[in-house]
Amino acid sequence: MPEPFDRSWKLPAALAAGLVLGGLIGAWAGDRAVLGVALVAIAETVLLLTRIRHETRHIMPPHPTISPLQHDRFMTRSRRIASSLRDLRSAAGSLPDAVVLLDNEQHVRWFNHAAEDLLGLRRPQDRGIHLHERLGTTELAGWLQDGAHEPLNDVVAPGHPNRHINVTLLPFGRRQRLLLARDISHLTRLEQIRRDFVANVSHELRTPLTVIHGYLELIDPEDVPELAPVLGEMRAQSKRMGQIVEDLLTLSRLETQDHVTDERVPMSPLLATVRKEAEALSQGRHHIAVENTAEADLLGSSKDLHSALSNLVSNAVRYTPTGGNITIRWKRTPEGATYSVSDTGFGIPAAHLARLTERFYRVSSSRSRDSGGTGLGLSIVKHVLNLHQARLEIQSEPGQGSTFSCCFGHERLLKPGGPDEA
Ligand code: ADP
């Protein structure tokens, strides 16, 4: 008869497997590496220990053929396992992040205390329950049902309406899943404080700037010819400051908005307007062309779309040397329609592309300043596009030129002149 308690190899093996698996998942999950290792090792070990305890619960008292020495060894090992189990459970249980272990059909197998708090799970009744059914109609449930391929950022915690969480679903063991939810409410609060601060500062600066600008306009350079160059510079700088403040206020507004008021935005007149603006800015230094083949209007905020589309044209003019070409296109694509602005200008090295839409990010500060830029234009473009469920694509070759494309989905298109979706 085999020794009934000879399972001692399973614990170290499980721990080792858990650590290796945890390491792999952790490395894959980037900044969650350490947490990944700890969680997977803990979760897997807890499960194994639970199973061992379950399987050995009938073996007390030990089989009569077992010697007293074997019995004592078994008792010591049992106590050690039970104590490890308690420690590991309490460690996993007190993790600040919610951890839920799911089987391949998303049934809940195990969860910690934070999952009760953040996700509203209850024990024992929620063990074995289908997680997305348990979460009802929340955004989290929809995400799980859609396959949870990408992490879900900044959603309201189902168990706590005042908290916000980031959620990730990691593969684990044999077709199981580990759901991790991190409370990011403090980050959301800090972000709110930052937004309020920027909005308040910009608002407070607006009035004094208007006064300074007004007085500067009142002074006639002919009355003080010796100060004429200084006056010119002061006017230009106060105008620039005013533009930065206006752009910051626009960004603050766009950031706090979660949708736009939909209206028809007729594209032919809008393209004609951005062309005129580009020509005014270019002063004949560039060849500007418009190609409109989409035969579609847009559905969205007329003011915001105008600001985004003309921003791209103004950048093309400012970052293209005299004699260059600028082409504005509005054309159909399989996924909807694209508005693009191509130029034959300076271009942008690939290393900068990912950061261009950050506030005040510039490839060359002096070139941006000299051309009258605030460093906020592309940030505004990105926010406007987000509010229209559209995305910005940038292709650029240093020394050759750039193409900035705004890709809109079918749901944002209207037939010109008609009420129907195009
Ligand atoms: P800025 O006011 O400085 O132009 P933006 O947010 O509009 O700010 O653009 C960010 C940076 O991206 C610019 O400073 C510039 O370096 C680069 N950039 C934007 N558009 C172009 C373009 N068409 N060609 C080359 N560089 C560009």
Side-chain angles (χ1 to χ4, degrees), residues 315 318-319 343 348 356 361-363 368 373-375 377-378 404:
N315 278 356
R318 292 187 296 117
Y319 298 110
D343 63 55
I348 305 153
L356 281 191
Y361 188 87
R362 291 148 166 146
V363 178
S368 163
T374 61
L378 290 180
F404 286 73

Side-chain angles (χ1 to χ4, degrees), residues 132-194:
H132 81 248
E133 279 171 17
R134 173 67 179 73
L135 294 174
T137 54
T138 57
E139 203 174 337
L140 189 54
W143 172 77
L144 277 170
Q145 228 171 344
D146 292 344
H149 303 296
E150 295 287 326
L152 182 66
N153 289 330
D154 200 356
V155 284
V156 173
H160 228 296
N162 298 330
R163 301 246 179 110
H164 286 242
I165 50 175
N166 279 356
V167 197
T168 320
L169 193 67
L170 301 172
F172 166 73
R174 264 192 249 121
R175 296 169 62 219
Q176 298 172 67
R177 297 272 185 272
L178 199 60
L179 181 132
L180 303 177
R182 175 170 288 182
D183 187 349
I184 53 147
S185 312
H186 62 295
L187 290 179
T188 322
R189 250 194 320 277
L190 284 176
E191 180 64 14
Q192 187 60 45
I193 292 170
R194 179 195 67 77

Side-chain angles (χ1 to χ4, degrees), residues 370-417:
D370 292 348
S371 67
T374 61
L376 296 166
L378 290 180
S379 231
I380 292 176
V381 171
K382 189 184 84 175
H383 276 87
V384 170
L385 293 186
N386 281 348
L387 285 170
H388 291 83
Q389 298 77 46
R391 60 171 205 284
L392 179 67
E393 279 181 4
I394 309 170
Q395 285 153 348
S396 191
E397 191 70 47
Q400 304 290 312
S402 318
T403 298
F404 286 73
S405 309
C406 310
C407 310
F408 294 90
H410 290 289
E411 71 285 354
R412 285 279 162 197
L413 304 182
L414 294 173
K415 269 192 194 135

Side-chain angles (χ1 to χ4, degrees), residues 30-31 38 76 132 181 193 196 204 212 251 275 296 300 365 384 417 419:
D31 68 332
T76 314
H132 81 248
I193 292 170
D196 291 350
E204 293 298 325
I212 292 171
L251 264 179
R275 181 196 197 137
S365 300
V384 170

Side-chain angles (χ1 to χ4, degrees), residues 289-326:
V290 175
E291 292 173 14
N292 179 6
T293 54
E295 289 186 12
D297 287 342
L298 274 173
L299 182 66
S301 156
S302 168
K303 180 176 156 215
D304 292 338
L305 285 169
H306 177 198
S307 138
L309 305 192
S310 73
N311 230 307
L312 296 180
V313 178
S314 126
N315 278 356
V317 172
R318 292 187 296 117
Y319 298 110
T320 301
T322 303
N325 295 328
I326 292 163

